[in-house]
Amino acid sequence: MRIGVLALQGAVTEHIQMLAALDTEAVPIRLPSELKGLDALVIPGGESTTISKLLTDYQLLQPTRDLATQGFPIFGTCAGLVLLAKKVSNLDREVIGVMNIEVKRNAFGRQVDSFETELNVPVLGNGAFHGIFIRAPIIQKVGPNVEILCQLNGKPVAVRQGKLLGCAFHPELTLDLRFHRYFLDLVTGDTVAKSNH
Ligand code: GLN
């Protein structure tokens, strides 16, 4: 498997290291031609405004959107989740816009805009997942075909729609490989097969 990590801005190296720890080849992606031959793409956290601008400047926005609508697996964390959402209530830039969710950026308020907490993510099995939230978005609405994988205070913070996966927190800043392994299972089809039984 060969996984691309969008390398325009943000926590790129951390995702590459996570995937390497799972014996998976991960390569940084900066150009549309580099999308060829990939099995999946990770969109890291960072600043969604900046990443959106660079996606447009580097002519990556439409090719990424086209791939997503054809069933290509994409995992977005934090700003990456913002970029995958069909609707972002407080962003006036174009996004990839492929997941049936509405999000609000920087939604946890100034006092607590960065925090860490233990999360229950049933699809990852037993054992809390350490959630690192850094000026994280909130998922305000969830539409058809979106599975909520994890909630915090009654709000979804991790979701899946087919092979599109998004979370408001940063698994790549932990040592817990379970979220990335879950994504790789989605890429190979193992997760879908499991959920059908
Ligand atoms: N606040 C950032 C944004 O809206 C996301 C922060 C992050 O990715 N850690 O783009």
Side-chain angles (χ1 to χ4, degrees), residues 9 11 19 21 29 33 60 67 69 73 79 87 103 114 116 143 185 192:
Q9 192 249 350
L19 292 163
I29 302 298
S33 60
L60 277 160
L67 283 172
T69 47
K87 197 165 173 200
V103 307
S114 297
E116 302 186 18
D185 285 348
V192 176

Side-chain angles (χ1 to χ4, degrees), residues 9-11 43-51 77-83 88 90-91 103-107 113-114 132-137 167-170 172-173:
Q9 192 249 350
I43 305 180
E47 272 307 316
S48 50
T49 47
T50 307
I51 300 176
T77 59
C78 202
L81 170 74
V82 172
L83 290 159
V88 187
N90 54 349
L91 178 68
V103 307
K104 184 178 176 197
R105 300 174 54 229
N106 305 332
D113 56 7
S114 297
I132 301 178
F133 292 78
I134 305 171
R135 295 186 309 112
C167 60
F169 50 94
H170 289 271
E172 78 283 7
L173 300 183

